[in-house]
């Protein structure tokens, strides 16, 4: 019996040194000290030996039991510490002595107004379409009735890629694909970033946002166009503003208009933002040219429609009284943080 006890002690020590997780330790505990554990079985076996021997063997077995209990407890503690150290070492390090940065982020004013416009138009049954910034010559020009060598291209020089594609100069670049996607009737707006090779000034940037809209159905007329433009502007500005509609030429509309807004920076008196004219070109628009409808797979004999190309960045300038368009792209948090309340 004594040899059995010593063999068990040796086996336990070997198994204990191999135990590297809390789970294996628990298995060991059950295997030695549980109801049917090896040490418990030894104790049960004492009933078959004589009284003399029982006393001596009982002491040995109890000593082994105590040793197993103590060794298991010590090993469990050591494992716990090792696991905690591992967790600390793998956790993200940070300096608790650094001052708290109380500056809160906020949406860019262009995002705020874009979302407001999206809400206005979706409430009137328009879908909101996303479109790439890199497009083909066909999408940006040819599909909207601006063939190669058309003089209207001069107004929209842009950045060309080696593969012949370009950074879109106008959101009109999405017109053709959207017509082909939905057919008629359709109501869609498509905001997007545009790029032009511009000499920048207070109201011109090389990178700016437009938001295009199209409505195509039977019997759509200029009255529908004016209604939607008025509704949109009165909801965005939440006050009366002066607008004027004058003829404008764009190859993709016939007739075409320029919708100007009385400059809200100077109240129409004239300033650098409106080039001292008192008016700011905001939203060219018109009735979609039959060639453009046809190219989009829509029969111009059956359907008519209007399109507009809102200068979203300029609208933001007017709404918030931003005098220089370049502030909006500057990343200057001091200038932009004033819109935080939105
Ligand atoms: C166009 O881009 C036409 N695609 C708009 C259109 C769409 C007309 C559908 C008819 C039907 P235009 O180049 O004028 O047009 O630009 C439209 C608006 O974008 C301008 O009125 C102006 O508000 C804004 N915009 C144009 N160029 C710049 C620029 N460099 N910086 C900031 N805003 C600009």
């Amino acid at each position: 019996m004594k040899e059995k006890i010593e063999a068990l002690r040796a086996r336990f020590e070997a198994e204990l040194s191999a135990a590297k997780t809390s789970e294996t330790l628990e298995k060991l505990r059950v295997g030695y000290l549980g109801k049917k554990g090896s040490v418990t079985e030894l104790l049960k076996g004492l009933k078959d030996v004589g009284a003399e021997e029982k006393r001596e063997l009982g002491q040995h077995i109890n000593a082994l039991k105590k040793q197993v209990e103590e060794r298991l407890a010590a090993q469990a503690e050591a494992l716990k510490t090792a696991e905690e150290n591992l967790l600390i070492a793998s956790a993200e390090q940070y300096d608790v002595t650094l001052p708290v940065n109380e500056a809160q982020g906020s949406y860019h004013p262009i995002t705020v107004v874009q979302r407001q416009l999206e809400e206005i138009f979706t409430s009137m049954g328009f879908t909101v379409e996303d479109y790439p910034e890199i497009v083909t010559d066909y999408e940006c020009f040819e599909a909207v009735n601006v063939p190669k060598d058309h003089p209207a291209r001069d107004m929209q020089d842009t950045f060309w890629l080696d593969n012949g594609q370009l950074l879109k100069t106008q959101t009109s670049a999405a017109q053709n694909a959207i017509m082909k996607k939905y057919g008629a009737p359709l109501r869609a707006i498509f905001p997007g970033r545009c790029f032009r090779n511009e000499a920048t000034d207070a109201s011109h940037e090389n990178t700016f946002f437009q938001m295009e809209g199209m409505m195509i159905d039977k019997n759509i007329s200029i009255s529908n166009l004016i209604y939607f433009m008025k509704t949109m502007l009165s909801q965005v500005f939440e006050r009366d503003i002066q607008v004027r509609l004058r003829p404008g030429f764009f190859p993709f509309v016939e007739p075409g208009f320029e919708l100007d807004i009385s400059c809200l920076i100077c109240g129409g008196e004239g300033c650098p933002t409106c080039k001292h004219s008192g008016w700011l070109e905001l939203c060219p628009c018109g009735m979609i040219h039959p060639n453009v409808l046809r190219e989009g797979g829509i029969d111009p004999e059956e359907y008519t429609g209007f399109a507009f190309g809102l200068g979203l960045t300029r609208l933001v300038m007017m709404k918030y009284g931003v005098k220089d368009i370049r502030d909006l792209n500057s990343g200057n948090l001091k200038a932009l943080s004033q819109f935080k309340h939105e």
Side-chain angles (χ1 to χ4, degrees):
M1 185 80 148
K2 267 190 187 162
E3 290 87 69
K4 222 173 160 186
I5 295 170
E6 288 318 309
L8 198 59
R9 192 192 306 280
R11 201 182 87 203
F12 169 73
E13 283 299 330
E15 286 180 3
L16 183 71
S17 58
K20 298 285 180 240
T21 64
S22 334
E23 292 81 48
T24 38
L25 273 191
E26 178 58 13
K27 272 189 195 156
L28 269 187
R29 191 191 64 75
V30 174
Y32 283 85
L33 305 176
K35 264 188 195 165
K36 290 182 181 165
S38 316
V39 178
T40 319
E41 291 297 327
L42 279 181
L43 282 169
K44 282 182 197 162
L46 283 179
K47 68 179 187 318
D48 304 325
V49 297
E52 191 73 2
E53 225 182 335
K54 190 184 272 180
R55 211 157 45 91
E56 196 198 337
L57 284 176
Q59 279 175 356
H60 281 298
I61 299 171
N62 276 326
L64 173 63
K65 188 180 173 199
K66 195 165 173 243
Q67 181 184 349
V68 170
E69 283 169 350
E70 285 174 359
R71 298 279 288 130
L72 278 173
Q75 187 70 354
E77 193 57 38
L79 273 182
K80 196 171 150 219
T81 311
E83 278 167 12
E84 279 171 1
N85 286 342
L86 202 70
L87 208 67
I88 291 166
S90 63
E92 197 179 322
Q93 303 289 314
Y94 63 94
D95 183 350
V96 290
T97 62
L98 281 176
V100 177
N101 181 1
E102 285 173 356
Q104 275 196 340
S106 60
Y107 286 115
H108 193 283
I110 294 178
T111 307
V112 173
V113 177
Q114 181 182 320
R115 290 185 178 173
Q116 192 187 356
L117 285 163
E118 287 174 1
E119 251 178 57
I120 294 170
F121 277 99
T122 45
S123 76
M124 298 190 290
F126 285 69
T127 61
V128 181
E129 306 294 324
D130 201 14
Y131 207 72
E133 289 172 354
I134 296 175
V135 296
T136 59
D137 185 279
Y138 172 78
E139 291 164 290
C140 201
F141 299 118
E142 287 177 61
V144 287
N145 209 25
V146 187
K148 289 202 167 63
D149 306 323
H150 193 292
R153 288 192 179 213
D154 288 352
M155 314 285 290
Q156 299 194 10
D157 186 18
T158 185
F159 306 91
W160 294 79
L161 309 187
D162 287 342
N163 66 3
Q165 289 184 306
L166 55 131
L167 300 189
K168 76 177 169 205
T169 59
Q170 48 181 357
T171 40
S172 304
Q175 281 194 10
N176 181 265
I178 292 170
M179 285 182 203
K180 285 175 177 160
K181 182 175 172 192
Y182 293 110
L186 79 80
R187 291 181 191 200
I189 55 164
F190 26 112
R193 200 191 326 240
C194 301
F195 308 85
R196 290 187 195 177
N197 182 7
E198 291 272 14
T200 59
D201 59 29
S203 56
H204 290 82
E205 254 291 17
N206 50 34
T207 306
F208 57 98
F209 284 83
Q210 289 186 345
M211 201 193 75
E212 190 108 348
M214 277 194 305
M215 179 173 182
I216 302 171
D217 208 332
K218 290 182 176 157
N219 304 318
I220 296 292
S221 70
I222 295 172
S223 315
N224 299 107
L225 167 62
I226 294 172
Y227 168 80
F228 280 99
M229 295 298 96
K230 269 190 174 168
T231 308
M232 180 257 294
L233 292 172
S234 65
Q235 290 197 29
V236 168
F237 286 102
E238 295 165 51
R239 62 180 155 134
D240 276 346
I241 42 145
Q242 244 188 307
V243 295
R244 72 176 185 190
L245 203 61
R246 61 191 166 91
F249 174 73
F250 301 92
F252 27 89
V253 284
E254 180 56 41
F257 306 98
E258 286 283 3
L259 188 147
D260 302 335
I261 141 172
S262 172
C263 180
L264 297 176
I265 304 291
C266 59
E269 303 260 301
C271 67
T273 310
C274 59
K275 290 210 188 117
H276 304 282
S277 71
W279 296 93
L280 203 74
E281 281 178 17
L282 185 69
C283 187
C285 49
M287 301 304 294
I288 302 173
H289 196 288
N291 287 353
V292 178
L293 286 173
R294 210 173 288 117
E295 190 67 24
I298 294 173
D299 182 0
E301 300 297 326
E302 198 179 350
Y303 291 100
T304 50
F306 68 74
F308 62 88
L310 172 71
L312 179 55
T313 309
R314 285 209 190 147
L315 180 74
V316 172
M317 291 172 72
M318 292 295 105
K319 183 168 160 89
Y320 293 116
V322 178
K323 291 193 181 114
D324 195 312
I325 194 169
R326 290 164 290 197
D327 283 341
L328 290 168
N329 279 2
S330 67
N332 179 349
L333 292 182
K334 215 168 165 194
L336 296 173
S337 62
Q338 56 191 306
F339 309 108
K340 208 156 60 185
H341 61 280
E342 290 288 345

